[in-house]
Amino acid sequence: EVQLLESGGGVLQPGGSLRLSCAASEFIFSSYAMSWVRQAPGKGLEWVSFISGGGVVTKYADSVKGRFTISRDNSKNTLYLQINSLGSEDTAVYYCARLIPARGVFDMWGQGTLVTVSS
Amino acid sequence: DIQLTQSPSTLSASVGDRVTITCRASQSISTWLAWYHQSPGKAPKLLIYKASTLESGVPSRFTGSGSGTEFTLTISSLQPDDFATYYCQQYNSYQYSFGQGTKLEIK
């Protein structure tokens, strides 16, 4: 079964850092662009970042530019999101999603990992 | 950045009803618009892409239409699993954004 599985979330203090991971299975990971999308508690969806299949092209939402870094290791079928200088506004469920650029859509999503920023 | 505005924010309906949700873009996005369904505690699920193309496996009671700046999602005969939150999403030059969501509630 085609699957995305996120990990790395937890409770962190303001100003801290963490790295989220997303393990992909049962599809050719390197052939697909990927993204991170987050959802604050009780709120809507917010696109965070994009990375091309080869990892050469990366894009970010203005709200996270300079603090978030997306990367991937195609040999490990894994997507990453490094988050620095955590603030309360980063509290959210973080989803990794497979992107179909020709359609401009996210056709597969992981179950999400919760990041809570609290002192 | 392109903003998407959905209306209504909340919609009350009954099983068997026909409902329509609207999504307006702050500038033309041609047909680069998708719709997603999200149940509480679950990941979003793609329903429609390119404004009107049904994703594989999605029931035909879901219909999308529109182009430019105005788009609609219509559900022809509501089923119990349809009561959830719906999001529109646009794509433009490696930038993506979502509408604020429409919560479809049981009347």
Side-chain angles (χ1 to χ4, degrees):
Chain A
E1 180 188 357
V2 177
Q3 192 172 12
L4 297 169
L5 186 62
E6 301 94 337
S7 61
V11 180
L12 296 103
Q13 292 193 336
S17 299
L18 85 162
R19 188 177 78 162
L20 304 180
S21 300
C22 170
S25 56
E26 301 300 328
F27 67 96
I28 303 173
F29 181 65
S30 60
S31 294
Y32 288 86
M34 299 292 295
S35 270
W36 288 95
V37 177
R38 68 182 179 181
Q39 186 170 35
K43 302 297 184 182
L45 301 167
E46 179 187 17
W47 171 77
V48 169
S49 185
F50 158 97
I51 187 167
S52 61
V56 174
V57 180
T58 59
K59 299 290 182 181
Y60 300 92
D62 288 343
S63 59
V64 306
K65 207 172 290 185
R67 294 193 303 119
F68 286 26
T69 302
I70 190 170
S71 62
R72 64 192 298 160
D73 185 337
N74 286 343
S75 69
K76 296 182 178 179
N77 290 342
T78 303
L79 176 72
Y80 302 101
L81 185 68
Q82 176 72 35
I83 306 176
N84 298 327
S85 303
L86 281 161
S88 58
E89 71 276 13
D90 298 318
T91 293
V93 173
Y94 286 75
Y95 295 101
C96 65
R98 190 175 77 172
L99 186 62
I100 307 296
R103 301 175 182 176
V105 297
F106 311 100
D107 75 325
M108 180 187 310
W109 300 64
Q111 87 292 344
T113 186
L114 176 62
V115 174
T116 302
V117 182
S118 174
S119 55
Chain B
D1 292 358
I2 297 175
Q3 312 297 322
L4 297 178
T5 303
Q6 291 182 229
S7 59
S9 295
T10 306
L11 182 57
S12 296
S14 302
V15 172
D17 285 354
R18 176 187 178 94
V19 297
T20 296
I21 300 169
T22 298
C23 178
R24 289 184 172 87
S26 58
Q27 65 188 74
S28 177
I29 54 172
S30 183
T31 56
W32 292 103
L33 189 99
W35 292 96
Y36 298 81
H37 163 290
Q38 186 180 35
S39 295
K42 302 290 188 182
K45 175 188 172 185
L46 177 64
L47 298 174
I48 286 169
Y49 61 92
K50 294 300 292 291
S52 61
T53 303
L54 207 62
E55 173 73 343
S56 176
V58 174
S60 59
R61 64 180 181 273
F62 292 91
T63 304
S65 66
S67 66
T69 61
E70 186 152 337
F71 303 86
T72 60
L73 172 70
T74 298
I75 311 172
S76 61
S77 178
L78 283 170
Q79 300 302 302
D81 286 348
D82 298 339
F83 292 94
T85 300
Y86 292 84
Y87 294 93
C88 57
Q89 172 251 314
Q90 68 83 29
Y91 162 67
N92 180 51
S93 298
Y94 292 115
Q95 295 291 314
Y96 304 82
S97 60
F98 293 87
Q100 83 279 12
T102 294
K103 186 175 183 180
L104 180 53
E105 299 179 330
I106 298 177
K107 186 183 290 183

